[in-house]
Amino acid sequence: RVGVQELLLLPCRAKRISVEYRPKSHVRRMEYSKRSSGMTARVGVIDYGCGNLKSVTNALRYVGAEPQLVTTPDQIRCHSHIILPGVGAFGAASETLRNTGFEETLQQLYAEAQVPILGICLGMQLMCSYSEEGGKYEGLGWFDAQVIPIDVGTSALKIPHMGWNSLSIRQETEFEEFHGLTEKSDVYFLHSYCVNCSDSSDIVATTTHGSEFTSVFAKGIVWGVQFHPEKSQLTGLNFLEAFTRI
């Protein structure tokens, strides 16, 4: 038995492992089984100075992918899949993407619709139309969605929303079967702002913390998740592996 930190550091050749974790107040025992696949996915993880990327690359390596940090826009097209991670302030992140040339290349990639793209946490928010965090800042505009403060109302719930919470699946698609995220899957969150998606056809799953927000959206081969799959133990590993097989 190992914890999540040890799990993400295990060698790639391990095929099956049994772990215990405590998403809430109880212990769950689950197994992760690496699926056999053809070509190894070469996943580019965009490094634009917003977040610690080690846990993301460790998780990708564990599920059999070949991750590489992408530090310049010209490196993006060398990969079969792209991940846009991120933690921190929306305004600073969007400005960095613009000033470094990443935004232009990502917009081209999105328009071509040939390479799967996954946004994680702030990366998901950057895919939206705009954010109200610290003002009003434009995003990539891939989804008709807005980034707004989490509204907990008069409840005793705390901000930031930090820890385990569940997903409510909103679309009857192949998502549940293919990606391993099912109704009430427990995943790990850490954020103070959330996504309000205006186009219901893009919403794959929602989560409630005081109020309901969009926790997963998708459009073709472009996905965004508010939770951290690299911190969501077996559910997160299964999701990342499924993404690398798109």
Side-chain angles (χ1 to χ4, degrees):
R1 295 176 184 175
V2 296
V4 64
Q5 297 301 324
E6 293 84 354
L7 175 63
L8 296 182
L9 294 174
L10 286 172
C12 296
R13 59 178 173 272
K15 291 296 182 182
R16 181 179 287 268
I17 188 164
S18 176
V19 305
E20 286 188 349
Y21 71 104
R22 294 175 172 80
K24 293 183 179 176
S25 60
H26 55 284
V27 175
R28 295 187 179 183
R29 185 179 180 86
M30 302 177 67
E31 288 188 339
Y32 168 76
S33 297
K34 190 179 299 180
R35 298 175 179 88
S36 60
S37 59
M39 296 179 61
T40 299
R42 300 186 71 247
V43 184
V45 181
I46 298 181
D47 181 3
Y48 59 111
C50 294
N52 180 4
L53 308 180
K54 184 176 180 181
S55 57
V56 176
T57 55
N58 280 346
L60 288 167
R61 193 170 292 111
Y62 181 77
V63 300
E66 183 182 324
Q68 182 179 14
L69 296 183
V70 174
T71 56
T72 60
D74 59 289
Q75 297 173 342
I76 287 182
R77 295 186 179 277
C78 300
H79 300 86
S80 61
H81 297 69
I82 292 295
I83 290 182
L84 178 62
V87 294
F90 186 104
S94 61
E95 183 178 7
T96 299
L97 286 180
R98 190 171 302 112
N99 293 341
T100 55
F102 275 120
E103 179 178 338
E104 181 180 0
T105 305
L106 285 170
Q107 293 288 16
Q108 294 171 358
L109 209 66
Y110 173 76
E112 293 164 4
Q114 297 295 316
V115 175
I117 306 173
L118 171 64
I120 297 176
C121 195
L122 178 59
M124 175 195 191
Q125 296 180 1
L126 288 166
M127 294 176 169
C128 299
S129 302
Y130 66 87
S131 171
E132 297 179 359
E133 182 180 1
K136 188 172 182 179
Y137 298 92
E138 289 187 2
L140 294 169
W142 298 348
F143 291 84
D144 183 9
Q146 308 79 42
V147 180
I148 60 176
I150 296 175
D151 181 11
V152 297
T154 58
S155 72
L157 293 171
K158 295 181 179 180
I159 301 296
H161 173 211
M162 179 173 63
W164 296 91
N165 207 338
S166 58
L167 302 176
S168 293
I169 305 301
R170 296 303 184 200
Q171 282 199 49
E172 295 295 332
T173 67
E174 72 277 7
F175 174 81
E176 182 171 336
E177 177 182 356
F178 184 67
H179 290 85
L181 295 182
T182 59
E183 185 73 12
K184 304 306 179 185
S185 288
D186 287 314
V187 289
Y188 188 86
F189 292 88
L190 177 56
H191 62 122
S192 298
Y193 284 75
C194 63
V195 172
N196 175 37
C197 191
S198 301
D199 190 343
S200 60
S201 65
D202 293 336
I203 301 174
V204 176
T206 61
T207 297
T208 300
H209 184 73
S211 56
E212 188 179 50
F213 61 88
T214 302
S215 47
V216 184
F217 59 31
K219 186 179 293 184
I221 56 175
V222 178
W223 289 75
V225 294
Q226 184 63 68
F227 66 90
H228 287 270
E230 77 280 7
K231 297 181 183 294
S232 297
Q233 299 188 359
L234 299 181
T235 298
L237 290 175
N238 286 329
F239 178 82
L240 285 175
E241 184 193 31
F243 171 71
T244 66
R245 292 186 286 112
I246 294 176

